[in-house]
PDB file of all heavy atoms in Angstrom:
ATOM      1  N   SER G  78     -20.847  -2.387  12.999  1.00  0.00           N
ATOM      2  CA  SER G  78     -20.818  -0.934  13.185  1.00  0.00           C
ATOM      3  C   SER G  78     -21.868  -0.493  14.191  1.00  0.00           C
ATOM      4  O   SER G  78     -21.710   0.513  14.886  1.00  0.00           O
ATOM      5  CB  SER G  78     -21.042  -0.218  11.847  1.00  0.00           C
ATOM      6  OG  SER G  78     -22.313  -0.525  11.320  1.00  0.00           O
ATOM      7  N   LYS G  79     -22.978  -1.247  14.302  1.00  0.00           N
ATOM      8  CA  LYS G  79     -24.003  -0.922  15.298  1.00  0.00           C
ATOM      9  C   LYS G  79     -23.465  -1.143  16.696  1.00  0.00           C
ATOM     10  O   LYS G  79     -23.727  -0.369  17.617  1.00  0.00           O
ATOM     11  CB  LYS G  79     -25.263  -1.763  15.069  1.00  0.00           C
ATOM     12  CG  LYS G  79     -26.409  -1.436  16.030  1.00  0.00           C
ATOM     13  CD  LYS G  79     -27.634  -2.277  15.740  1.00  0.00           C
ATOM     14  CE  LYS G  79     -28.790  -1.858  16.662  1.00  0.00           C
ATOM     15  NZ  LYS G  79     -28.439  -1.980  18.081  1.00  0.00           N
ATOM     16  N   ASP G  80     -22.670  -2.216  16.856  1.00  0.00           N
ATOM     17  CA  ASP G  80     -22.065  -2.471  18.162  1.00  0.00           C
ATOM     18  C   ASP G  80     -21.120  -1.339  18.529  1.00  0.00           C
ATOM     19  O   ASP G  80     -21.044  -0.922  19.684  1.00  0.00           O
ATOM     20  CB  ASP G  80     -21.299  -3.803  18.135  1.00  0.00           C
ATOM     21  CG  ASP G  80     -22.234  -4.993  17.904  1.00  0.00           C
ATOM     22  OD1 ASP G  80     -23.431  -4.860  18.223  1.00  0.00           O
ATOM     23  OD2 ASP G  80     -21.758  -6.029  17.408  1.00  0.00           O
ATOM     24  N   ARG G  81     -20.408  -0.866  17.530  1.00  0.00           N
ATOM     25  CA  ARG G  81     -19.502   0.254  17.779  1.00  0.00           C
ATOM     26  C   ARG G  81     -20.278   1.493  18.205  1.00  0.00           C
ATOM     27  O   ARG G  81     -19.847   2.247  19.064  1.00  0.00           O
ATOM     28  CB  ARG G  81     -18.702   0.569  16.505  1.00  0.00           C
ATOM     29  CG  ARG G  81     -17.641  -0.464  16.168  1.00  0.00           C
ATOM     30  CD  ARG G  81     -16.429  -0.310  17.069  1.00  0.00           C
ATOM     31  NE  ARG G  81     -15.399  -1.254  16.721  1.00  0.00           N
ATOM     32  CZ  ARG G  81     -14.474  -1.044  15.797  1.00  0.00           C
ATOM     33  NH1 ARG G  81     -14.482   0.077  15.107  1.00  0.00           N
ATOM     34  NH2 ARG G  81     -13.555  -1.951  15.560  1.00  0.00           N
ATOM     35  N   ALA G  82     -21.430   1.722  17.585  1.00  0.00           N
ATOM     36  CA  ALA G  82     -22.246   2.889  17.923  1.00  0.00           C
ATOM     37  C   ALA G  82     -22.685   2.835  19.374  1.00  0.00           C
ATOM     38  O   ALA G  82     -22.753   3.851  20.069  1.00  0.00           O
ATOM     39  CB  ALA G  82     -23.462   2.966  17.004  1.00  0.00           C
ATOM     40  N   ASP G  83     -22.984   1.627  19.861  1.00  0.00           N
ATOM     41  CA  ASP G  83     -23.384   1.485  21.260  1.00  0.00           C
ATOM     42  C   ASP G  83     -22.229   1.822  22.198  1.00  0.00           C
ATOM     43  O   ASP G  83     -22.432   2.348  23.299  1.00  0.00           O
ATOM     44  CB  ASP G  83     -23.857   0.046  21.520  1.00  0.00           C
ATOM     45  CG  ASP G  83     -25.145  -0.276  20.760  1.00  0.00           C
ATOM     46  OD1 ASP G  83     -25.872   0.677  20.417  1.00  0.00           O
ATOM     47  OD2 ASP G  83     -25.394  -1.466  20.510  1.00  0.00           O
ATOM     48  N   GLU G  84     -21.014   1.514  21.746  1.00  0.00           N
ATOM     49  CA  GLU G  84     -19.838   1.808  22.578  1.00  0.00           C
ATOM     50  C   GLU G  84     -19.583   3.306  22.684  1.00  0.00           C
ATOM     51  O   GLU G  84     -19.011   3.788  23.658  1.00  0.00           O
ATOM     52  CB  GLU G  84     -18.604   1.136  21.982  1.00  0.00           C
ATOM     53  CG  GLU G  84     -18.647  -0.386  22.004  1.00  0.00           C
ATOM     54  CD  GLU G  84     -17.452  -0.983  21.282  1.00  0.00           C
ATOM     55  OE1 GLU G  84     -16.544  -0.207  20.910  1.00  0.00           O
ATOM     56  OE2 GLU G  84     -17.421  -2.204  21.096  1.00  0.00           O
ATOM     57  N   ARG G  85     -20.013   4.053  21.679  1.00  0.00           N
ATOM     58  CA  ARG G  85     -19.721   5.490  21.657  1.00  0.00           C
ATOM     59  C   ARG G  85     -20.361   6.235  22.815  1.00  0.00           C
ATOM     60  O   ARG G  85     -19.901   7.286  23.219  1.00  0.00           O
ATOM     61  CB  ARG G  85     -20.208   6.087  20.334  1.00  0.00           C
ATOM     62  CG  ARG G  85     -19.404   5.629  19.137  1.00  0.00           C
ATOM     63  CD  ARG G  85     -20.040   6.097  17.849  1.00  0.00           C
ATOM     64  NE  ARG G  85     -19.268   5.666  16.694  1.00  0.00           N
ATOM     65  CZ  ARG G  85     -19.682   5.768  15.441  1.00  0.00           C
ATOM     66  NH1 ARG G  85     -20.873   6.277  15.189  1.00  0.00           N
ATOM     67  NH2 ARG G  85     -18.921   5.360  14.450  1.00  0.00           N
ATOM     68  N   ALA G  86     -21.462   5.696  23.321  1.00  0.00           N
ATOM     69  CA  ALA G  86     -22.167   6.377  24.409  1.00  0.00           C
ATOM     70  C   ALA G  86     -21.318   6.503  25.653  1.00  0.00           C
ATOM     71  O   ALA G  86     -21.612   7.309  26.532  1.00  0.00           O
ATOM     72  CB  ALA G  86     -23.464   5.637  24.727  1.00  0.00           C
ATOM     73  N   SER G  87     -20.236   5.730  25.751  1.00  0.00           N
ATOM     74  CA  SER G  87     -19.406   5.751  26.955  1.00  0.00           C
ATOM     75  C   SER G  87     -18.144   6.591  26.782  1.00  0.00           C
ATOM     76  O   SER G  87     -17.291   6.617  27.671  1.00  0.00           O
ATOM     77  CB  SER G  87     -19.010   4.313  27.334  1.00  0.00           C
ATOM     78  OG  SER G  87     -18.216   3.723  26.323  1.00  0.00           O
ATOM     79  N   VAL G  88     -17.984   7.291  25.650  1.00  0.00           N
ATOM     80  CA  VAL G  88     -16.758   8.048  25.423  1.00  0.00           C
ATOM     81  C   VAL G  88     -16.701   9.262  26.345  1.00  0.00           C
ATOM     82  O   VAL G  88     -17.727   9.813  26.749  1.00  0.00           O
ATOM     83  CB  VAL G  88     -16.637   8.512  23.960  1.00  0.00           C
ATOM     84  CG1 VAL G  88     -16.666   7.325  23.015  1.00  0.00           C
ATOM     85  CG2 VAL G  88     -17.722   9.515  23.618  1.00  0.00           C
ATOM     86  N   THR G  89     -15.482   9.692  26.648  1.00  0.00           N
ATOM     87  CA  THR G  89     -15.273  10.875  27.470  1.00  0.00           C
ATOM     88  C   THR G  89     -15.264  12.118  26.597  1.00  0.00           C
ATOM     89  O   THR G  89     -15.207  12.035  25.366  1.00  0.00           O
ATOM     90  CB  THR G  89     -13.937  10.785  28.214  1.00  0.00           C
ATOM     91  OG1 THR G  89     -12.874  10.721  27.248  1.00  0.00           O
ATOM     92  CG2 THR G  89     -13.890   9.558  29.110  1.00  0.00           C
ATOM     93  N   VAL G  90     -15.289  13.283  27.236  1.00  0.00           N
ATOM     94  CA  VAL G  90     -15.211  14.545  26.504  1.00  0.00           C
ATOM     95  C   VAL G  90     -13.896  14.598  25.729  1.00  0.00           C
ATOM     96  O   VAL G  90     -13.862  15.042  24.575  1.00  0.00           O
ATOM     97  CB  VAL G  90     -15.320  15.740  27.472  1.00  0.00           C
ATOM     98  CG1 VAL G  90     -15.027  17.050  26.740  1.00  0.00           C
ATOM     99  CG2 VAL G  90     -16.694  15.773  28.121  1.00  0.00           C
ATOM    100  N   ARG G  91     -12.820  14.149  26.357  1.00  0.00           N
ATOM    101  CA  ARG G  91     -11.513  14.134  25.698  1.00  0.00           C
ATOM    102  C   ARG G  91     -11.571  13.331  24.402  1.00  0.00           C
ATOM    103  O   ARG G  91     -11.114  13.781  23.350  1.00  0.00           O
ATOM    104  CB  ARG G  91     -10.461  13.533  26.610  1.00  0.00           C
ATOM    105  CG  ARG G  91      -9.076  13.419  25.959  1.00  0.00           C
ATOM    106  CD  ARG G  91      -8.167  12.470  26.728  1.00  0.00           C
ATOM    107  NE  ARG G  91      -8.014  12.888  28.110  1.00  0.00           N
ATOM    108  CZ  ARG G  91      -8.310  12.115  29.157  1.00  0.00           C
ATOM    109  NH1 ARG G  91      -8.794  10.878  28.961  1.00  0.00           N
ATOM    110  NH2 ARG G  91      -8.145  12.559  30.382  1.00  0.00           N
ATOM    111  N   THR G  92     -12.155  12.131  24.468  1.00  0.00           N
ATOM    112  CA  THR G  92     -12.237  11.270  23.292  1.00  0.00           C
ATOM    113  C   THR G  92     -13.135  11.870  22.221  1.00  0.00           C
ATOM    114  O   THR G  92     -12.826  11.806  21.022  1.00  0.00           O
ATOM    115  CB  THR G  92     -12.766   9.881  23.691  1.00  0.00           C
ATOM    116  OG1 THR G  92     -11.885   9.303  24.653  1.00  0.00           O
ATOM    117  CG2 THR G  92     -12.849   8.969  22.485  1.00  0.00           C
ATOM    118  N   LEU G  93     -14.247  12.461  22.633  1.00  0.00           N
ATOM    119  CA  LEU G  93     -15.162  13.074  21.678  1.00  0.00           C
ATOM    120  C   LEU G  93     -14.475  14.180  20.896  1.00  0.00           C
ATOM    121  O   LEU G  93     -14.527  14.222  19.663  1.00  0.00           O
ATOM    122  CB  LEU G  93     -16.383  13.636  22.408  1.00  0.00           C
ATOM    123  CG  LEU G  93     -17.339  14.481  21.548  1.00  0.00           C
ATOM    124  CD1 LEU G  93     -17.954  13.641  20.437  1.00  0.00           C
ATOM    125  CD2 LEU G  93     -18.429  15.110  22.412  1.00  0.00           C
ATOM    126  N   VAL G  94     -13.811  15.103  21.613  1.00  0.00           N
ATOM    127  CA  VAL G  94     -13.160  16.232  20.952  1.00  0.00           C
ATOM    128  C   VAL G  94     -11.992  15.747  20.097  1.00  0.00           C
ATOM    129  O   VAL G  94     -11.799  16.209  18.965  1.00  0.00           O
ATOM    130  CB  VAL G  94     -12.686  17.270  21.987  1.00  0.00           C
ATOM    131  CG1 VAL G  94     -11.962  18.422  21.296  1.00  0.00           C
ATOM    132  CG2 VAL G  94     -13.864  17.803  22.793  1.00  0.00           C
ATOM    133  N   ASP G  95     -11.214  14.810  20.616  1.00  0.00           N
ATOM    134  CA  ASP G  95     -10.075  14.282  19.864  1.00  0.00           C
ATOM    135  C   ASP G  95     -10.535  13.596  18.584  1.00  0.00           C
ATOM    136  O   ASP G  95      -9.942  13.770  17.515  1.00  0.00           O
ATOM    137  CB  ASP G  95      -9.298  13.293  20.725  1.00  0.00           C
ATOM    138  CG  ASP G  95      -8.119  12.691  19.971  1.00  0.00           C
ATOM    139  OD1 ASP G  95      -7.172  13.440  19.652  1.00  0.00           O
ATOM    140  OD2 ASP G  95      -8.135  11.478  19.696  1.00  0.00           O
ATOM    141  N   THR G  96     -11.620  12.816  18.673  1.00  0.00           N
ATOM    142  CA  THR G  96     -12.144  12.124  17.495  1.00  0.00           C
ATOM    143  C   THR G  96     -12.668  13.119  16.474  1.00  0.00           C
ATOM    144  O   THR G  96     -12.481  12.953  15.255  1.00  0.00           O
ATOM    145  CB  THR G  96     -13.267  11.151  17.896  1.00  0.00           C
ATOM    146  OG1 THR G  96     -12.782  10.268  18.907  1.00  0.00           O
ATOM    147  CG2 THR G  96     -13.729  10.332  16.699  1.00  0.00           C
ATOM    148  N   TYR G  97     -13.332  14.173  16.948  1.00  0.00           N
ATOM    149  CA  TYR G  97     -13.820  15.222  16.050  1.00  0.00           C
ATOM    150  C   TYR G  97     -12.660  15.867  15.301  1.00  0.00           C
ATOM    151  O   TYR G  97     -12.724  16.084  14.077  1.00  0.00           O
ATOM    152  CB  TYR G  97     -14.585  16.274  16.855  1.00  0.00           C
ATOM    153  CG  TYR G  97     -14.796  17.581  16.121  1.00  0.00           C
ATOM    154  CD1 TYR G  97     -15.661  17.660  15.020  1.00  0.00           C
ATOM    155  CD2 TYR G  97     -14.136  18.744  16.528  1.00  0.00           C
ATOM    156  CE1 TYR G  97     -15.848  18.859  14.348  1.00  0.00           C
ATOM    157  CE2 TYR G  97     -14.322  19.940  15.854  1.00  0.00           C
ATOM    158  CZ  TYR G  97     -15.174  19.992  14.775  1.00  0.00           C
ATOM    159  OH  TYR G  97     -15.356  21.176  14.104  1.00  0.00           O
ATOM    160  N   ILE G  98     -11.577  16.160  16.018  1.00  0.00           N
ATOM    161  CA  ILE G  98     -10.414  16.798  15.395  1.00  0.00           C
ATOM    162  C   ILE G  98      -9.791  15.892  14.331  1.00  0.00           C
ATOM    163  O   ILE G  98      -9.522  16.326  13.208  1.00  0.00           O
ATOM    164  CB  ILE G  98      -9.363  17.166  16.457  1.00  0.00           C
ATOM    165  CG1 ILE G  98      -9.919  18.243  17.403  1.00  0.00           C
ATOM    166  CG2 ILE G  98      -8.072  17.659  15.797  1.00  0.00           C
ATOM    167  CD1 ILE G  98      -9.016  18.530  18.599  1.00  0.00           C
ATOM    168  N   GLU G  99      -9.554  14.630  14.699  1.00  0.00           N
ATOM    169  CA  GLU G  99      -8.843  13.722  13.791  1.00  0.00           C
ATOM    170  C   GLU G  99      -9.718  13.214  12.647  1.00  0.00           C
ATOM    171  O   GLU G  99      -9.230  13.039  11.526  1.00  0.00           O
ATOM    172  CB  GLU G  99      -8.274  12.534  14.579  1.00  0.00           C
ATOM    173  CG  GLU G  99      -7.335  12.935  15.707  1.00  0.00           C
ATOM    174  CD  GLU G  99      -6.186  13.815  15.245  1.00  0.00           C
ATOM    175  OE1 GLU G  99      -5.762  13.677  14.078  1.00  0.00           O
ATOM    176  OE2 GLU G  99      -5.720  14.660  16.030  1.00  0.00           O
ATOM    177  N   ASP G 100     -10.994  12.965  12.915  1.00  0.00           N
ATOM    178  CA  ASP G 100     -11.849  12.376  11.888  1.00  0.00           C
ATOM    179  C   ASP G 100     -12.595  13.398  11.038  1.00  0.00           C
ATOM    180  O   ASP G 100     -13.107  13.050   9.966  1.00  0.00           O
ATOM    181  CB  ASP G 100     -12.874  11.441  12.529  1.00  0.00           C
ATOM    182  CG  ASP G 100     -12.235  10.161  13.047  1.00  0.00           C
ATOM    183  OD1 ASP G 100     -11.001  10.028  12.913  1.00  0.00           O
ATOM    184  OD2 ASP G 100     -12.955   9.308  13.589  1.00  0.00           O
ATOM    185  N   PHE G 101     -12.652  14.652  11.493  1.00  0.00           N
ATOM    186  CA  PHE G 101     -13.345  15.657  10.695  1.00  0.00           C
ATOM    187  C   PHE G 101     -12.442  16.835  10.338  1.00  0.00           C
ATOM    188  O   PHE G 101     -12.224  17.122   9.161  1.00  0.00           O
ATOM    189  CB  PHE G 101     -14.592  16.168  11.417  1.00  0.00           C
ATOM    190  CG  PHE G 101     -15.313  17.235  10.638  1.00  0.00           C
ATOM    191  CD1 PHE G 101     -16.118  16.890   9.557  1.00  0.00           C
ATOM    192  CD2 PHE G 101     -15.172  18.581  10.953  1.00  0.00           C
ATOM    193  CE1 PHE G 101     -16.770  17.864   8.813  1.00  0.00           C
ATOM    194  CE2 PHE G 101     -15.812  19.564  10.212  1.00  0.00           C
ATOM    195  CZ  PHE G 101     -16.618  19.208   9.137  1.00  0.00           C
TER     196      PHE G 101
END
Side-chain angles (χ1 to χ4, degrees):
S78 62
K79 183 179 184 302
D80 296 336
R81 288 284 182 87
D83 294 337
E84 294 175 8
R85 291 172 180 170
S87 63
V88 302
T89 62
V90 171
R91 177 196 303 123
T92 301
L93 172 63
V94 178
D95 179 67
T96 306
Y97 164 69
I98 295 172
E99 302 305 330
D100 288 1
F101 178 78

